[in-house]
Amino acid sequence: MSNARKGRGAVSSVDGRYAKTRVFLDEAAAFERDQEHPDTVLRAMGAKQIISKNTSPDVPFNRSINPYQGCEHGCVYCYARPSHSYMDLSPGLDFETQIFYKPNAARLLIEEWQKPGYTVEPITLGANTDPYQPAERKTRVTRELLELFDKHQHPYSIITKGSLILRDLDILERSARNGLVSVAISVPTLSRELKRIMEPRVSAPETRLKIIRTLRDAGVPVSVLVAPVIPMINDNEIESIIAAVAENGAKSAAYVFLRLPHEVKTIFKDWLAVHFPDRAEHVMSLVRQASGGRDYDNRFGHRQRGRGAYADLLSKRFSIACRQHGLVDREYVGPLNTTRFRAPGARQLGLAF
């Protein structure tokens, strides 16, 4: 049984694929559980390392930091949901209510930079979960990391849909003056109603347009991610989204086709059945057309864009829209300056008089 909960994206508590115990409830108990509105629980997680290395050719960065595991934004489509399975928690409701933060993130980053063999490459914040989700107001983990990037002049990029990013405009503006930062704002819909059920605890679409405009006015390079594109749900908005973000100052844009790895397939299908029962099968039929007959094609080169006639049409529409509005197509992490980095503890040369 599945039930929509106010302020939550997932409509079910799907067991993780590594679940040690599975609970089967009778109909009455299942109904009672589905009426619950779970609170958010914030927990500290002592990380052992902080920089993740990426080898995927599908993404334009090699290094990333995720200050959080789990995300209260509750985006039903989030491909990071399966990470909660490793902790014997549900990628469904647990992912958006059991939030883990890394209080030792800044210390670990300093330790990485102090290693003799460290080489400078841009680091992306927000590759999995949003660095500006609501928990950041309390923990300030992302703010602490940005303060280090600023102090040591290390290049970084941010992917977010959270309005809290404007809190750190002081740092972003300084970094931008030295070519050290780029920001990508996720805008998958301009519809308030769709946003409410698809990504319930995220800022409104018009707020995200304001974020783009504010960053632009501050001189911060800003791009847009239309992610994900979902057949029969938001694919009709491609042109209107591109027009709106271009008008507000975005310089480039990229899109990602819906990804349904592991438990996300069930979570998304449950969501469709509750919110779009009239078109659920049609949606999944188009997803399969773009995924080689499967719910998800995880191969590099296919998982981000899909393949086949429907996927090709999306690609053409997106490229034409970008061209019409003067946006660079398929770019959301710009080139950054790697020459200014000052390692922690390094002596700074003074001026000779």
Side-chain angles (χ1 to χ4, degrees), residues 6-297:
K6 184 177 180 179
R8 300 298 180 188
V11 299
S12 54
S13 295
V14 176
D15 285 332
R17 61 196 182 282
Y18 303 119
K20 297 175 183 177
T21 58
R22 296 183 185 275
V23 178
F24 298 92
L25 302 176
D26 61 31
E27 186 173 347
F31 178 82
E32 183 177 347
R33 184 196 64 183
D34 285 342
Q35 304 311 303
E36 295 175 353
H37 295 275
D39 294 329
T40 300
V41 178
L42 188 59
R43 298 177 178 175
M45 168 191 281
K48 294 181 180 179
Q49 61 181 35
I50 199 61
I51 298 178
S52 299
K53 300 240 179 121
N54 165 63
T55 58
S56 168
D58 293 331
V59 295
F61 51 85
N62 297 322
R63 298 179 185 177
S64 63
I65 293 176
N66 291 296
Y68 299 94
Q69 187 160 336
C71 185
E72 196 178 357
H73 279 162
C75 303
V76 69
Y77 52 74
C78 183
Y79 60 79
R81 285 181 176 271
S83 63
H84 258 43
S85 295
Y86 294 108
M87 296 179 290
D88 199 17
L89 292 171
S90 169
L93 284 171
D94 285 346
F95 178 80
E96 52 194 275
T97 59
Q98 304 288 320
I99 310 300
F100 297 84
Y101 69 99
K102 302 172 183 178
N104 60 341
R107 177 178 62 79
L108 291 177
L109 184 58
I110 287 289
E111 291 175 0
E112 284 288 332
W113 287 349
Q114 289 175 329
K115 292 179 180 178
Y118 183 78
T119 57
V120 181
E121 286 187 43
I123 296 174
T124 296
L125 299 179
N128 274 349
T129 55
D130 202 312
Y132 286 107
Q133 60 177 284
E136 172 62 18
R137 294 186 185 278
K138 181 176 181 179
T139 71
R140 297 177 65 85
V141 177
T142 298
R143 174 74 187 194
E144 291 178 3
L145 292 170
L146 262 60
E147 288 171 348
L148 290 181
F149 287 127
D150 181 39
K151 178 179 179 180
H152 297 282
Q153 297 288 282
H154 194 291
Y156 62 101
S157 59
I158 298 172
I159 302 171
T160 185
K161 58 186 70 176
S163 59
L164 188 57
I165 189 174
L166 296 183
R167 176 201 64 187
D168 296 335
L169 193 60
D170 58 331
I171 296 179
L172 297 172
E173 194 169 7
R174 284 197 300 271
S175 296
R177 286 199 293 267
N178 294 314
L180 295 172
V181 66
S182 68
V183 175
I185 302 297
S186 173
V187 186
T189 183
L190 297 177
S191 165
R192 273 197 163 204
E193 179 60 23
L194 179 56
K195 184 222 75 81
R196 182 184 63 80
I197 60 175
M198 187 169 69
E199 36 182 39
R201 298 201 176 195
V202 188
S203 55
E206 56 268 31
T207 300
R208 277 176 265 185
L209 295 178
K210 178 183 177 183
I211 294 169
I212 294 169
R213 189 164 61 251
T214 303
L215 291 172
R216 186 263 329 258
D217 291 345
V220 179
V222 58
S223 61
V224 164
L225 264 175
V226 183
V229 174
I230 307 174
M232 297 294 295
I233 301 296
N234 69 340
D235 57 349
N236 63 315
E237 294 192 68
I238 287 176
E239 290 79 7
S240 57
I241 291 172
I242 293 300
V245 300
E247 182 180 354
N248 283 277
K251 296 302 181 185
S252 61
Y255 76 95
V256 177
F257 189 69
L258 177 67
R259 294 173 57 181
L260 297 175
H262 303 299
E263 298 88 352
V264 183
K265 289 191 287 288
T266 301
I267 293 166
F268 182 74
K269 289 178 182 179
D270 288 346
W271 177 83
L272 276 179
V274 169
H275 293 290
F276 297 99
D278 59 321
R279 69 187 86 165
E281 185 49 45
H282 193 186
V283 171
M284 291 308 303
S285 175
L286 289 171
V287 169
R288 295 183 193 106
Q289 284 184 37
S291 305
R294 294 172 287 179
D295 290 338
Y296 177 53
D297 186 347

Side-chain angles (χ1 to χ4, degrees), residues 315-336:
S315 178
K316 290 175 182 176
R317 286 176 55 201
F318 193 86
S319 294
I320 290 171
C322 285
R323 188 163 60 248
Q324 288 177 338
H325 294 281
L327 297 187
V328 177
D329 182 13
R330 300 191 183 186
E331 180 179 291
Y332 62 94
V333 176
L336 298 174

